[in-house]
Amino acid sequence: AAADPVSVLPGSLGRGSWCNEHDTIHKRLDIIEEKVIKTVEHLESEVKSLLNIISETTANIPIAPETPLIDILDGK
């Protein structure tokens, strides 16, 4: 009978241990992925809220007659 190449390698953890370690890594990655998704959703919500506040604030600023409008996103 042919020997299992994974189990005969020097320093090998064996197939069972490797599979357990592989599963553990995937579970940890799933947890990290879930946390990243929740963080991104939270940040999107915060940005939308800040943009709404900015929009409401700028809409209420009185503009003096003949005041030039400046586009802050123009880059000039």
Side-chain angles (χ1 to χ4, degrees):
D4 182 6
V6 174
S7 64
V8 296
L9 291 174
S12 165
L13 297 175
R15 185 175 299 277
S17 296
W18 182 87
C19 287
N20 290 339
E21 184 177 341
H22 183 78
D23 289 342
T24 301
I25 290 170
H26 274 282
K27 287 176 186 174
R28 289 180 182 170
L29 287 173
D30 289 343
I31 291 169
I32 291 170
E33 180 183 22
E34 183 178 334
K35 287 182 179 183
V36 167
I37 289 170
K38 286 181 180 181
T39 301
V40 168
E41 288 172 351
H42 175 75
L43 291 173
E44 285 177 340
S45 172
E46 290 291 318
V47 168
K48 286 179 184 177
S49 176
L50 289 171
L51 288 173
N52 285 336
I53 291 169
I54 290 170
S55 177
E56 290 170 4
T57 303
T58 57
N60 296 328
I61 296 175
I63 298 176
E66 298 185 27
T67 302
L69 297 178
I70 300 171
D71 185 357
I72 62 170
L73 301 176
D74 188 19
K76 292 181 182 177

